[in-house]
Amino acid sequence: MNPDFLVVGAGVAGLRAAIELAEAGEVLVVAKDTLQESSSEYAQGGVAAALSDDDEVELHEQDTLVAGDGLSDREAVHVLVENGPRAIEQLIEWGAAFDRIGGKLQFAREGAHSRSRVLHAHGDSTGREMARTLYEKAASLPSIHFRSFSAITDLLVEDGQVAGAVACDERERRSVKIQARATLLASGGLGHVFLETTNPDVATGDGVAVAYRAGAEIGDIEFVQFHPTALHVEGAPRFLLSEALRGDGAYLRNGAGERFMSRYDERLELAPRDVVSRSIASELKRTGETHVYVDLTHLDGPYLKERFPRIYETCLRFGVDITQAPVPVHPAAHYAMGGVRTDLNGRTTMGRLFAAGEVACTGVHGANRLASNSLLEGVVFGARAGAAMRELAGAPRLGGSAPAISIPDMRADDLRRIAWDKCGLVRSAASLSEAVSLLSDSRMEAMSHPHRADFERRNIRDVALLIARCGLAREESRGGHYREDFPKSRTEFQKHSSISIDHEPTFR
């Protein structure tokens, strides 16, 4: 199996890159599990772009920089917002059906945005609509092929360059080598490294883990965004209740029915996600309760059903009618600001290896992602990575080898609980040091025929350890990283973290 280009991941970033590569050679898009199971599919909140009459690219840029808490790369942000409007217009040309009023695009405002610039599709299925559009476009191009595997387990490396990847075909109980002239990691997020997450089950940090083991530099991995409002009902998945609910006027209430955000931030329910998440954690600590509530009962019921059909139907399935009763919620791991470090064209620190989407660290999000910028980042930087990969269309093929496989002997849920308890919303030197110790001491066992679940345990352990090590080194609080022993940001840490298999965490 030797395509010219290998794309790992079938979310919006991977599909957009594949489309860009189609004229340069044979493209193989590989997905973990199924082509429909990606974080893009679950993205409800929307996609932000400065397209409305009262908006400007410069305002979107400024809002993104403010949300990034001093760590967003200004050049990367400019690339995102400058290319954003055209990227969305292109999706519309390809058939994306964003919500409209009277024929005109409908724009919503979400937390930390200074203008109404967030587009939605089918109310709360924006990512699904974008992924559908891109998949249909990609599938129409004869040079793009799709294949589902259980997992990509490692990268093939030759003299510091990536020659492709090894896939696990669990149905046939074998490993498959895929050699390519250039490889793109667009494998999505790492939410399932934590016990509580809004992410799909496939989001076990695979891209970060395989890149790290191959020798690539990982950046800002300590910055994890915890979404403040995940459904908290016994037996229900931690389904995300979109920020757009609060944008449309939902209140946050404690068990006594009190709106409590005024205790923590003057922006109330529209404060940035990290602020709202920590405010909820503080309120739960103050009251001793297990969850707070999103209250929409004062809003128009028929409007809510039309505006948020997926949220309405999912909550109803688990016994909560959002038009009649407040919804119990609790923060959950949602999005990784850090990942495999790239330049503005998706190039990593290893030759022939590229990354785009949530797995990548472009510098756009800094310490805290602005709501609804992630889908935009996927299409903008996916296209740029695809364009850069075309330069390798005539490059000679490499052979390459993968590292030996050893799997931690701890259960996945035990690893995830360590990450949640020790590296979650509130961290400290004590908790992070304990996480490093527990994860480092996990005995690694050689396995001759690992299953997908074994590979995922290895990746969960590797990524959790990276988060703990970099979180311990960053002795401050900034964005999604909150240290109770260093509750303020510090000028000396207004730098990006970097870690690789060859060096300890550094800042620059």
Side-chain angles (χ1 to χ4, degrees):
M1 193 175 293
N2 298 306
D4 293 298
F5 305 105
L6 172 61
V7 175
V8 180
V12 298
L15 291 169
R16 185 61 189 86
I19 293 166
E20 201 70 19
L21 286 164
E23 292 184 4
E26 294 295 310
V27 184
L28 178 63
V29 179
V30 299
K32 182 180 179 182
D33 200 10
T34 71
L35 291 169
Q36 285 71 43
E37 192 70 1
S38 71
S39 291
S40 299
E41 286 282 328
Y42 290 80
Q44 304 168 1
V47 58
L51 280 166
S52 68
D53 293 339
D54 71 338
D55 201 3
E56 297 175 12
V57 164
E58 290 77 15
L59 293 174
H60 190 186
E61 182 172 343
Q62 186 59 33
D63 289 347
T64 302
L65 290 170
V66 169
D69 206 359
L71 270 192
S72 291
D73 182 273
R74 186 174 289 274
E75 191 176 0
V77 171
H78 186 73
V79 166
L80 177 78
V81 299
E82 186 74 26
N83 289 275
R86 177 57 193 146
I88 298 303
E89 288 168 351
Q90 194 169 45
L91 284 172
I92 293 171
E93 291 167 11
W94 290 343
F98 293 106
D99 295 342
R100 295 174 181 265
I101 296 179
K104 289 189 174 184
L105 289 170
Q106 180 182 5
F107 296 94
R109 184 178 298 197
E110 294 183 1
H113 285 274
S114 62
R115 292 289 188 276
S116 297
R117 66 167 63 96
V118 180
L119 292 166
H120 293 86
H122 310 293
D124 52 6
S125 297
T126 313
R128 180 182 291 177
E129 175 64 11
M130 290 173 65
R132 178 200 65 79
T133 302
L134 290 167
Y135 175 74
E136 290 183 3
K137 175 67 175 177
S140 74
L141 302 172
S143 61
I144 299 178
H145 311 281
F146 296 90
R147 181 84 183 266
S148 291
F149 285 103
S150 300
I152 292 293
T153 60
D154 277 299
L155 298 175
L156 297 170
V157 179
E158 181 178 308
D159 296 329
Q161 298 194 86
V162 171
V166 181
C168 169
D169 188 332
E170 194 152 303
R171 285 188 296 266
E172 298 185 15
R173 295 299 305 276
R174 67 190 182 103
S175 291
V176 179
K177 278 190 175 183
I178 307 171
Q179 293 176 303
R181 303 180 199 279
T183 299
L184 173 73
L185 294 175
S187 52
L190 51 77
H192 262 268
V193 167
F194 295 90
L195 197 62
E196 300 281 352
T197 180
T198 64
N199 289 186
D201 290 348
V202 294
T204 49
D206 303 343
V208 169
V210 299
Y212 172 75
R213 290 194 296 267
E217 189 174 300
I218 307 301
D220 293 345
I221 197 66
E222 66 272 28
F223 293 113
V224 178
Q225 191 171 74
F226 294 87
H227 198 286
T229 53
L231 182 65
H232 195 79
V233 173
E234 188 70 31
R238 294 299 180 248
F239 180 76
L240 183 152
L241 271 73
S242 169
E243 204 148 27
L245 294 170
R246 285 176 284 123
D248 272 23
Y251 298 146
L252 287 172
R253 298 187 186 276
N254 59 24
E258 303 167 332
R259 288 182 68 185
F260 58 84
M261 279 302 299
S262 59
R263 289 192 185 96
Y264 305 103
D265 195 280
E266 62 185 11
R267 291 164 290 188
L268 306 177
E269 283 86 358
L270 293 181
R273 286 177 176 173
D274 64 307
V275 174
V276 178
S277 291
R278 286 197 297 275
S279 299
I280 291 173
S282 296
E283 188 68 9
L284 293 177
K285 187 175 182 179
R286 188 184 73 83
T287 63
E289 295 165 342
T290 59
H291 54 264
V292 297
Y293 296 87
V294 170
D295 185 7
L296 300 120
T297 57
H298 57 288
L299 302 177
D300 181 64
Y303 167 79
L304 292 174
K305 293 178 185 179
E306 181 180 353
R307 175 77 169 83
F308 304 105
R310 199 170 172 190
I311 292 173
Y312 174 75
E313 291 163 9
T314 301
C315 290
L316 199 61
R317 195 180 316 138
F318 293 102
V320 182
D321 182 341
I322 65 173
T323 68
Q324 301 295 320
V327 188
V329 295
H330 188 285
H334 180 58
Y335 190 87
M337 274 73 76
V340 185
R341 185 171 298 288
T342 71
D343 67 8
L344 297 179
N345 296 302
R347 295 184 182 90
T348 72
T349 55
M350 297 186 73
R352 303 194 187 203
L353 179 65
F354 297 74
E358 189 174 352
V359 71
C361 180
T362 61
V364 160
H365 305 303
N368 191 37
R369 174 176 68 94
L370 180 65
S372 295
N373 267 354
S374 54
L375 288 169
L376 189 70
E377 184 197 29
V379 290
V380 168
F381 285 92
R384 292 176 71 88
M389 290 170 72
R390 288 201 306 255
E391 298 171 8
L392 291 163
R397 294 182 181 276
L398 304 175
S401 60
I405 297 171
S406 58
I407 308 294
D409 63 356
M410 296 178 71
R411 295 187 319 123
D413 278 356
D414 292 336
L415 293 166
R416 296 173 66 216
R417 185 171 293 282
I418 291 170
W420 179 254
D421 290 345
K422 311 299 179 186
C423 313
L425 265 171
V426 178
R427 304 165 175 176
S428 67
S431 72
L432 293 165
S433 297
E434 189 175 357
V436 170
S437 176
L438 291 168
L439 295 165
S440 299
D441 290 346
S442 174
R443 193 160 53 89
M444 305 295 284
E445 301 174 330
M447 297 184 73
S448 55
H449 295 290
H451 292 275
R452 166 179 158 176
D454 300 316
F455 291 118
E456 289 179 336
R457 278 192 292 131
R458 177 175 62 156
N459 293 341
I460 289 169
R461 180 259 187 190
D462 287 353
V463 174
L465 188 52
L466 289 173
I467 293 169
R469 290 168 65 193
C470 291
L472 185 60
R474 183 176 289 280
E475 295 181 335
E476 67 161 356
S477 291
R478 186 184 297 273
H481 170 71
Y482 183 76
R483 290 273 301 260
E484 60 183 353
D485 48 349
F486 292 99
K488 303 290 186 182
S489 60
R490 300 170 65 190
T491 305
E492 60 266 42
F493 283 102
Q494 195 172 343
K495 300 174 182 177
H496 297 287
S497 70
S498 170
I499 189 170
S500 78
I501 203 162
D502 297 321
H503 69 75
E504 291 295 311
T506 57
F507 295 91
R508 62 185 191 208

